[in-house]
């Protein structure tokens, strides 16, 4: 289990905690999120760029390497091995032949991009501070949004098994149908992250705890002594759940 926060990066394995820092090439300890590449490398998105663990040391990618901006919210590897990085000033795609950047000049609805996702049709989706967009055949298209949402900012995306694109916002949950983001009532929590469940559906991490959605029904997860506000949730290979909460 990889753990990241404002004080660095650590790995919990076989009952032991290993910490990583400057001596391993990780020169920025302000970890925003952690992701995995197609070839199994661990990527750490930070305030000052992205770091990839190769062996026992990290290599760095930032603005000097072509990244659109150094503050990286998260990363995602697509099925072709490209790495999509969501930043405060656009999206960078790391490819074998170089870096390709996208911004409002390419029709993104906002330059602040919180996360990305890709579906089986080949579309790459972007959650921005002003709604959802997707890239298809080299062009970015915007998704309209129901007026039922009190805000336009999208903080999380997940693609369900049936191909439905779900979006988490500070004012509730929505899904895309007919080129429009539609609100799923009555759920109105501040959603931090959406994570796929192993047996279908997905987990919802929010300011009011953890929920799960399956067959378009949202159910609150009830468990002993887990924190009220949960920033992320993950399910490991054994089916155990891990929660991250502010201050923990």
């Amino acid at each position: 289990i990889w753990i990241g926060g404002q004080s660095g990066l650590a790995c919990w394995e076989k009952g032991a905690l290993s910490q990583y820092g400057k001596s391993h090439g990780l020169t920025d300890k302000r970890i925003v999120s952690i992701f995995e590449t197609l070839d199994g490398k661990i990527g750490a998105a930070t305030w000052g760029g992205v770091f990839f663990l190769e062996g026992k040391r990290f290599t760095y990618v930032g603005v000097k390497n072509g990244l659109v901006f150094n503050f990286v919210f998260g990363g995602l590897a697509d099925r072709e091995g490209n790495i999509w990085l969501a930043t405060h000033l656009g999206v960078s795609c790391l490819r074998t032949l170089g870096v390709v950047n996208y911004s409002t000049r390419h029709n993104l609805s906002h330059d602040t991009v919180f996360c990305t996702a890709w579906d089986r049709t080949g579309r790459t989706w972007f959650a921005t501070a002003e709604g959802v967009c997707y890239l298809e055949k080299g062009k970015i298209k915007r998704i309209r949004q129901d007026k039922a949402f009190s805000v336009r900012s999208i903080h999380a995306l997940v693609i369900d098994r049936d191909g439905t694109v779900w979006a988490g916002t500070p004012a509730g949950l929505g899904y895309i149908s007919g080129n429009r983001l539609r609100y799923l009532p009555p759920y109105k929590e501040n959603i931090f992250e959406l994570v796929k469940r192993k047996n279908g559906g997905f987990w919802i991490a929010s300011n009011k705890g953890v929920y799960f959605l399956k067959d378009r029904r949202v159910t609150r997860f009830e468990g002993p002594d887990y924190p009220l506000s949960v920033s992320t949730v993950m399910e490991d290979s054994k089916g155990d759940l891990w929660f991250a909460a502010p201050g923990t």
Side-chain angles (χ1 to χ4, degrees):
I1 302 294
W2 287 91
I3 306 164
Q6 292 300 298
S7 58
L9 183 69
C11 180
W12 175 262
E13 186 177 16
K14 297 180 181 180
L17 188 68
S18 301
Q19 295 182 311
Y20 294 84
K22 288 184 178 180
S23 62
H24 304 91
L26 184 64
T27 55
D28 192 329
K29 298 173 65 176
R30 299 165 297 179
I31 310 298
V32 183
S33 65
I34 305 166
F35 61 96
E36 188 175 359
T37 66
L38 198 63
D39 57 359
K41 295 177 184 176
I42 295 299
T46 77
W47 287 31
V50 63
F51 295 81
F52 295 97
L53 183 60
E54 299 185 13
K56 295 184 178 181
R57 291 193 58 82
F58 285 89
T59 58
Y60 172 75
V61 176
V63 169
K64 66 179 183 180
N65 308 104
L67 204 65
V68 68
F69 195 66
N70 274 339
F71 192 113
V72 182
F73 289 104
L76 176 76
D78 64 23
R79 59 189 174 192
E80 296 177 353
N82 302 314
I83 301 170
W84 295 86
L85 300 173
T87 86
H88 193 59
L89 283 180
V91 177
S92 291
C93 180
L94 306 186
R95 299 177 176 176
T96 303
L97 298 178
V99 182
V100 179
N101 295 320
Y102 299 91
S103 66
T104 49
R105 292 179 299 172
H106 305 90
N107 203 38
L108 274 178
S109 52
H110 198 281
D111 278 333
T112 298
V113 181
F114 295 109
C115 69
T116 64
W118 60 271
D119 65 24
R120 56 195 177 199
T121 70
R123 290 177 175 177
T124 303
W125 295 83
F126 310 114
T128 83
E130 283 289 336
V132 181
C133 308
Y134 66 89
L135 175 69
E136 185 177 39
K137 297 179 180 179
K139 294 184 178 181
I140 293 178
K141 300 179 182 179
R142 302 181 183 184
I143 296 293
R144 294 175 294 170
Q145 192 163 317
D146 277 354
K147 294 181 179 179
F149 287 97
S150 59
V151 296
R152 289 189 55 79
S153 184
I154 309 295
H155 289 172
L157 289 173
V158 70
I159 314 295
D160 212 344
R161 284 183 177 179
D162 63 3
T164 302
V165 180
W166 292 86
T169 83
L173 183 66
Y175 62 96
I176 294 174
S177 176
N179 205 43
R180 180 182 290 273
L181 180 61
R182 303 185 184 278
Y183 173 65
L184 183 71
Y187 186 81
K188 293 184 178 181
E189 314 298 0
N190 182 1
I191 298 174
F192 301 128
E193 192 166 14
L194 303 174
V195 181
K196 284 185 180 180
R197 297 176 68 200
K198 293 185 182 302
N199 60 347
F202 53 85
W203 296 103
I204 302 168
S206 79
N207 66 322
K208 295 294 180 65
V210 176
Y211 298 76
F212 63 88
L213 182 142
K214 191 172 183 180
D215 301 326
R216 302 206 174 185
R217 292 184 59 187
V218 177
T219 304
R220 181 177 173 81
F221 174 78
E222 300 292 347
D225 303 325
Y226 84 91
L228 177 62
S229 181
V230 177
S231 56
T232 188
V233 58
M234 70 161 290
E235 188 175 351
D236 65 20
S237 58
K238 298 178 181 178
D240 294 333
L241 295 179
W242 296 74
F243 304 105
T248 63

